[in-house]
């Protein structure tokens, strides 16, 4: 169930004043951290648009990033079927862990989430020095070059499949996905919008 101000009262705090809350990257699906919330923390998160917990050590509300400015920008809040645990979908503004890593759980993440990570890296390199970054060099060239690369890689994927060369198929597919992400970024589109389109067709 998605949580908003109108249904916070449905959360079940009868077992404990605090309920566990997992934070997940809304773009990559990576689990970022786990904390605890009381009803006031949930309300504060929804009010300010940043994930807020109840800190058991500080004995007060604690907005993640209030010191480091590595905020978790709130996308949505959900509860499980028993309404006694929370899932925050958020966009991290910098490392989540105090150790400087993206996640408090190290590098644990589903393989498909790497597409989201790669997409973020590509977006960050739009304005890098073209001499230092192949990605930046693609953005520096005409749009037609990116379109051409997607076309070329698409043909290479098909040819590899026709030859029944699975190793080449994997390599060419990786090239195709990478150049497609670049092309989408050039058009100010995101891979998540492609997923949304696929989900709409699935329905």
């Amino acid at each position: 169930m998605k949580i908003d101000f109108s249904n916070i009262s449905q959360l079940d705090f009868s077992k404990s004043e605090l309920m566990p809350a997992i934070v997940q990257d809304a773009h990559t699906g990576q689990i970022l951290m786990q904390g605890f919330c009381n009803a006031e923390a949930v309300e504060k998160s929804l009010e300010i648009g940043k994930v807020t917990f109840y800190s058991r050590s500080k004995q007060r509300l604690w907005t993640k990033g209030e010191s480091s400015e590595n905020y978790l920008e709130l996308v949505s809040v959900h509860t499980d079927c028993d309404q006694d645990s929370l899932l925050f979908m958020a966009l991290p503004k910098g490392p989540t862990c105090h150790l400087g890593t993206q996640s408090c759980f190290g590098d644990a993440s589903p393989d498909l989430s790497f597409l989201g990570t790669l997409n973020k890296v590509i977006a960050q390199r739009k304005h890098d020095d073209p001499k230092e970054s192949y990605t930046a060099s693609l953005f520096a060239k005409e749009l037609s070059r990116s379109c051409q690369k997607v076309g070329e890689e698409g043909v290479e994927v098909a040819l590899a499949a026709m030859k029944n060369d699975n190793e080449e198929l994997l390599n060419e597919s990786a090239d195709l996905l990478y150049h497609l992400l670049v092309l989408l970024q050039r058009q100010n589109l995101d891979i998540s919008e492609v997923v949304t389109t696929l989900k709409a067709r699935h329905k």
Side-chain angles (χ1 to χ4, degrees):
M1 179 179 70
K2 187 174 181 179
I3 298 297
D4 56 34
F5 281 109
S6 65
N7 57 14
I8 287 179
S9 61
Q10 297 180 36
L11 294 175
D12 184 6
F13 286 98
S14 62
K15 301 169 188 173
S16 172
E17 292 184 1
L18 299 177
M19 62 174 59
I22 289 287
V23 184
Q24 186 174 16
D25 190 311
H27 279 175
T28 69
Q30 184 177 26
I31 300 300
L32 300 175
M33 67 174 295
Q34 185 256 323
F36 293 89
C37 288
N38 57 11
E40 188 179 0
V42 179
E43 291 176 355
K44 185 72 172 179
S45 297
L46 291 167
E47 178 185 346
I48 67 174
K50 295 179 176 64
V51 176
T52 300
F53 300 102
Y54 182 84
S55 171
R56 294 174 297 173
S57 58
K58 297 180 176 69
Q59 293 289 295
R60 63 171 176 81
L61 294 187
W62 167 64
T63 298
K64 176 68 181 72
E66 62 184 26
S67 299
S68 65
E69 297 188 354
N70 294 330
Y71 294 107
L72 294 167
E73 299 289 348
L74 186 64
V75 174
S76 59
V77 189
H78 306 264
T79 184
D80 70 343
C81 55
D82 293 322
Q83 287 82 49
D84 61 1
S85 62
L86 295 165
L87 173 65
F88 288 103
M89 302 297 290
L91 297 176
K93 302 302 179 183
T96 298
C97 183
H98 70 285
L99 297 177
T101 56
Q102 188 68 13
S103 167
C104 292
F105 296 96
D107 59 0
S109 63
D111 286 344
L112 288 178
S113 73
F114 180 71
L115 275 179
T117 300
L118 178 60
N119 190 54
K120 288 167 66 175
V121 171
I122 289 172
Q124 292 165 358
R125 292 187 179 169
K126 278 185 178 181
H127 305 295
D128 286 355
D129 186 348
K131 296 179 182 178
E132 301 293 331
S133 164
Y134 174 71
T135 300
S137 73
L138 289 175
F139 285 110
K141 294 173 182 174
E142 295 293 327
L143 173 63
S144 59
R145 179 55 179 159
S146 289
C147 296
Q148 180 184 1
K149 289 297 295 182
V150 171
E152 289 175 353
E153 299 302 343
V155 171
E156 293 294 337
V157 167
L159 290 175
M162 288 297 294
K163 291 190 296 184
N164 202 27
D165 186 336
N166 286 344
E167 182 177 357
E168 185 177 348
L169 177 58
L170 288 173
N171 285 322
E172 297 300 345
S173 295
D175 289 343
L176 175 59
L177 284 172
Y178 164 78
H179 286 97
L180 177 59
L181 290 174
V182 171
L183 181 60
L184 288 170
Q185 286 286 342
R186 293 197 64 147
Q187 297 301 101
N188 296 313
L189 296 172
D190 193 271
I191 188 64
S192 62
E193 295 176 78
V194 178
V195 174
T196 298
T197 302
L198 288 171
K199 288 166 68 175
R201 290 181 183 181
H202 180 66
K203 293 178 182 178

